[in-house]
Coordinates of all heavy atoms in Angstrom, one line a residue:
A362 N 129.4 101.4 99.6 CA 130.1 100.1 99.7 C 129.2 99.0 100.3 O 129.3 97.9 99.9 CB 131.3 100.3 100.6
V363 N 128.2 99.4 101.0 CA 127.2 98.5 101.6 C 126.4 97.9 100.3 O 126.2 96.7 100.1 CB 126.2 99.2 102.5 CG1 125.1 98.1 102.9 CG2 127.1 99.5 103.8
A364 N 125.8 98.8 99.5 CA 125.2 98.3 98.3 C 126.1 97.5 97.4 O 125.6 96.4 96.9 CB 124.6 99.6 97.5
M365 N 127.3 97.9 97.2 CA 128.2 97.1 96.4 C 128.4 95.8 97.0 O 128.6 94.8 96.2 CB 129.4 97.9 96.1 CG 129.3 99.1 95.1 SD 130.9 99.9 94.7 CE 130.4 100.9 93.2
A366 N 128.5 95.6 98.3 CA 128.7 94.4 98.8 C 127.6 93.5 98.6 O 127.8 92.3 98.3 CB 128.9 94.6 100.4
A367 N 126.3 93.9 98.6 CA 125.2 93.1 98.3 C 125.1 92.7 96.8 O 124.6 91.8 96.5 CB 123.9 93.8 98.7
L368 N 125.8 93.5 96.0 CA 125.8 93.4 94.5 C 127.0 92.4 94.0 O 127.2 92.4 92.9 CB 125.9 94.7 93.8 CG 124.5 95.5 93.9 CD1 124.6 96.9 93.5 CD2 123.3 94.8 93.3
D369 N 127.8 91.9 94.9 CA 128.8 91.1 94.6 C 129.9 91.8 93.8 O 130.5 91.3 92.8 CB 128.5 89.8 93.9 CG 127.9 88.7 94.9 OD1 128.2 88.9 96.0 OD2 127.3 87.8 94.4
A370 N 130.2 93.1 94.1 CA 131.2 93.9 93.5 C 132.5 93.3 93.6 O 133.0 92.8 94.6 CB 131.1 95.3 94.0
V371 N 133.4 93.6 92.6 CA 134.8 93.2 92.5 C 135.6 94.5 92.3 O 135.4 95.2 91.4 CB 135.1 92.2 91.4 CG1 136.6 91.9 91.3 CG2 134.3 90.9 91.6
V372 N 136.5 94.7 93.1 CA 137.5 95.9 93.1 C 138.6 95.6 92.2 O 139.3 94.6 92.3 CB 138.0 96.4 94.5 CG1 138.8 97.6 94.3 CG2 136.8 96.6 95.4
Q373 N 138.8 96.5 91.1 CA 139.9 96.3 90.2 C 140.9 97.2 90.7 O 140.8 98.4 90.8 CB 139.4 96.7 88.9 CG 138.2 95.8 88.3 CD 138.6 94.4 88.0 OE1 139.8 94.1 87.9 NE2 137.5 93.6 88.2
L374 N 142.3 96.6 90.8 CA 143.4 97.3 91.2 C 144.5 97.3 90.1 O 144.6 96.3 89.4 CB 143.9 96.7 92.6 CG 143.0 96.6 93.8 CD1 143.7 95.8 94.8 CD2 142.4 97.8 94.2
R375 N 145.3 98.2 90.2 CA 146.6 98.3 89.4 C 147.7 98.3 90.6 O 147.9 99.2 91.3 CB 146.7 99.5 88.6 CG 148.0 99.6 87.7 CD 148.3 100.9 87.1 NE 149.4 100.8 86.3 CZ 150.7 100.8 86.7 NH1 151.0 101.0 88.0 NH2 151.7 100.9 85.8
R376 N 148.5 97.2 90.4 CA 149.6 97.1 91.4 C 150.8 98.0 90.9 O 150.8 98.4 89.7 CB 150.1 95.6 91.5 CG 148.8 94.8 91.8 CD 149.2 93.4 92.3 NE 149.8 93.4 93.6 CZ 150.2 92.2 94.3 NH1 150.0 91.1 93.7 NH2 150.5 92.4 95.5
V377 N 151.7 98.2 91.8 CA 152.8 99.0 91.6 C 153.7 98.7 90.4 O 154.3 99.5 89.7 CB 153.6 99.4 92.8 CG1 154.5 98.2 93.1 CG2 154.5 100.6 92.6
N378 N 153.7 97.4 90.1 CA 154.4 96.9 89.0 C 153.6 96.8 87.6 O 154.1 96.3 86.7 CB 155.0 95.5 89.2 CG 153.9 94.4 89.5 OD1 152.7 94.8 89.4 ND2 154.3 93.2 89.8
G379 N 152.4 97.4 87.7 CA 151.6 97.5 86.6 C 150.6 96.3 86.3 O 149.8 96.3 85.5
S380 N 150.8 95.3 87.2 CA 149.9 94.0 87.0 C 148.5 94.4 87.6 O 148.4 95.1 88.6 CB 150.5 92.8 87.7 OG 150.6 93.0 89.0
P381 N 147.4 93.8 86.9 CA 146.0 94.0 87.5 C 145.9 93.0 88.7 O 146.4 91.9 88.8 CB 145.3 93.6 86.3 CG 146.0 92.7 85.5 CD 147.4 93.0 85.8
R382 N 144.9 93.4 89.6 CA 144.5 92.5 90.6 C 143.0 92.7 90.8 O 142.6 93.9 90.9 CB 145.3 92.7 91.9 CG 144.9 91.8 93.0 CD 145.5 92.1 94.3 NE 145.2 91.3 95.4 CZ 145.4 91.4 96.7 NH1 146.1 92.5 97.1 NH2 145.0 90.6 97.6
A383 N 142.3 91.7 90.9 CA 140.8 91.8 91.1 C 140.5 91.2 92.5 O 140.8 90.1 92.9 CB 140.0 91.0 90.1
V384 N 139.8 92.0 93.3 CA 139.6 91.6 94.7 C 138.0 91.7 95.0 O 137.5 92.9 94.9 CB 140.2 92.5 95.8 CG1 140.0 92.1 97.2 CG2 141.8 92.5 95.5
P385 N 137.3 90.7 95.3 CA 135.9 90.8 95.8 C 135.8 91.8 96.8 O 136.6 91.8 97.7 CB 135.6 89.3 96.2 CG 136.5 88.5 95.4 CD 137.8 89.3 95.4
L386 N 134.8 92.6 96.7 CA 134.7 93.7 97.7 C 134.5 93.1 99.2 O 135.0 93.7 100.1 CB 133.4 94.5 97.5 CG 133.2 95.8 98.4 CD1 134.3 96.8 98.1 CD2 131.7 96.3 98.2
N387 N 133.9 91.9 99.3 CA 133.7 91.4 100.6 C 135.0 90.8 101.1 O 135.1 90.4 102.3 CB 132.6 90.3 100.6 CG 131.3 90.8 100.3 OD1 130.8 91.6 101.1 ND2 130.7 90.6 99.1
D388 N 136.1 90.8 100.3 CA 137.5 90.4 100.8 C 138.3 91.6 100.9 O 139.5 91.5 101.2 CB 138.1 89.4 99.9 CG 137.3 88.0 100.0 OD1 136.7 87.7 100.9 OD2 137.2 87.4 98.8
F389 N 137.9 92.7 100.4 CA 138.7 94.0 100.3 C 139.0 94.6 101.7 O 140.1 95.0 101.9 CB 138.0 94.9 99.4 CG 138.7 96.2 99.2 CD1 139.8 96.3 98.3 CD2 138.3 97.4 99.8 CE1 140.6 97.5 98.2 CE2 138.9 98.6 99.5 CZ 140.1 98.6 98.7
Y390 N 138.0 94.6 102.6 CA 138.1 95.2 103.9 C 138.7 94.2 104.9 O 138.2 92.9 104.9 CB 136.9 95.8 104.3 CG 136.4 96.9 103.5 CD1 135.4 96.7 102.6 CD2 137.0 98.2 103.5 CE1 134.9 97.7 101.8 CE2 136.5 99.1 102.6 CZ 135.5 99.0 101.9 OH 135.0 99.9 100.9
L391 N 139.5 94.6 105.8 CA 140.0 93.7 106.9 C 139.3 94.0 108.2 O 138.9 95.2 108.5 CB 141.5 94.1 107.1 CG 142.4 93.9 105.9 CD1 143.9 94.2 106.1 CD2 142.4 92.4 105.4
L392 N 139.1 93.0 109.0 CA 138.7 93.2 110.3 C 139.7 93.8 111.2 O 140.9 93.5 111.0 CB 138.1 91.9 111.0 CG 136.9 91.2 110.3 CD1 136.7 89.9 110.9 CD2 135.7 92.2 110.4
P393 N 139.3 94.6 112.3 CA 140.4 95.3 113.0 C 141.2 94.4 113.8 O 142.5 94.7 113.8 CB 139.6 96.1 113.9 CG 138.2 95.5 113.9 CD 138.0 94.9 112.7
G394 N 140.7 93.4 114.4 CA 141.6 92.4 115.3 C 142.6 93.3 116.1 O 142.2 94.3 116.7
D395 N 143.9 92.9 116.0 CA 144.9 93.8 116.7 C 145.5 94.9 115.9 O 146.5 95.5 116.4 CB 146.0 92.8 117.4 CG 145.5 91.8 118.3 OD1 144.5 92.2 119.0 OD2 145.9 90.7 118.4
T396 N 145.1 95.0 114.6 CA 145.7 95.9 113.7 C 144.7 96.8 113.1 O 144.6 96.7 112.0 CB 146.7 95.2 112.8 OG1 145.9 94.3 112.0 CG2 147.8 94.5 113.4
P397 N 143.9 97.6 113.8 CA 142.8 98.3 113.3 C 143.3 99.4 112.3 O 142.5 100.0 111.6 CB 142.1 99.0 114.5 CG 143.1 99.0 115.6 CD 144.0 97.8 115.4
H398 N 144.6 99.8 112.2 CA 145.1 100.8 111.5 C 145.2 100.2 110.0 O 145.3 100.9 109.1 CB 146.4 101.3 111.8 CG 147.5 100.2 112.0 ND1 147.5 99.2 113.0 CD2 148.6 99.9 111.3 CE1 148.5 98.5 112.9 NE2 149.2 98.8 111.9
R399 N 145.2 98.9 109.8 CA 145.2 98.2 108.5 C 143.7 98.0 108.1 O 143.2 97.0 108.7 CB 146.0 97.0 108.5 CG 147.5 97.3 108.8 CD 148.4 95.9 108.5 NE 148.3 95.5 107.1 CZ 147.8 94.4 106.8 NH1 147.2 93.5 107.6 NH2 147.7 94.0 105.4
E400 N 143.2 98.7 107.2 CA 141.8 98.7 106.9 C 141.4 97.8 105.7 O 140.3 97.3 105.5 CB 141.2 100.0 106.9 CG 141.4 100.9 108.2 CD 140.9 102.3 108.1 OE1 140.4 102.6 106.9 OE2 140.8 102.9 109.0
T401 N 142.3 97.8 104.8 CA 142.1 97.1 103.4 C 143.3 96.2 103.0 O 144.3 96.3 103.7 CB 141.8 98.1 102.3 OG1 143.1 98.8 102.0 CG2 140.8 99.1 102.6
V402 N 143.1 95.4 102.0 CA 144.3 94.7 101.4 C 145.1 95.4 100.6 O 146.2 94.8 100.1 CB 143.7 93.4 100.6 CG1 142.8 92.5 101.5 CG2 142.9 93.9 99.4
L403 N 145.0 96.7 100.5 CA 145.9 97.5 99.6 C 147.2 97.5 100.1 O 147.6 97.6 101.3 CB 145.3 99.0 99.5 CG 144.0 99.2 98.8 CD1 143.6 100.6 98.9 CD2 144.2 98.8 97.2
Q404 N 148.2 97.4 99.2 CA 149.7 97.5 99.4 C 150.2 98.8 98.9 O 149.5 99.4 98.1 CB 150.4 96.3 98.7 CG 150.0 94.9 99.2 CD 150.3 94.7 100.7 OE1 151.4 94.9 101.1 NE2 149.3 94.1 101.4
P405 N 151.3 99.3 99.4 CA 151.8 100.5 99.0 C 151.9 100.7 97.5 O 152.5 99.8 96.7 CB 153.3 100.5 99.5 CG 153.1 99.7 100.8 CD 152.1 98.6 100.4
G406 N 151.3 101.7 96.9 CA 151.4 102.0 95.5 C 150.2 101.4 94.8 O 149.9 101.7 93.6
D407 N 149.4 100.5 95.4 CA 148.2 99.9 94.7 C 147.2 101.0 94.4 O 146.9 101.9 95.3 CB 147.4 98.9 95.6 CG 148.2 97.6 95.6 OD1 149.2 97.3 94.8 OD2 147.8 96.6 96.4
L408 N 146.6 101.0 93.2 CA 145.7 102.1 92.8 C 144.4 101.4 92.4 O 144.3 100.5 91.6 CB 146.3 102.9 91.7 CG 145.5 103.9 91.0 CD1 145.2 105.0 92.0 CD2 146.2 104.4 89.8

Side-chain angles (χ1 to χ4, degrees):
V363 175
M365 286 188 167
L368 293 166
D369 281 344
V371 177
V372 182
Q373 302 293 336
L374 307 177
R375 182 193 184 279
R376 309 192 75 174
V377 69
N378 63 4
S380 63
R382 182 185 180 193
V384 182
L386 184 69
N387 291 293
D388 297 328
F389 181 72
Y390 297 102
L391 303 175
L392 293 174
D395 296 327
T396 56
H398 58 289
R399 295 189 64 243
E400 298 178 355
T401 72
V402 299
L403 291 175
Q404 298 297 314
D407 282 356
L408 178 64

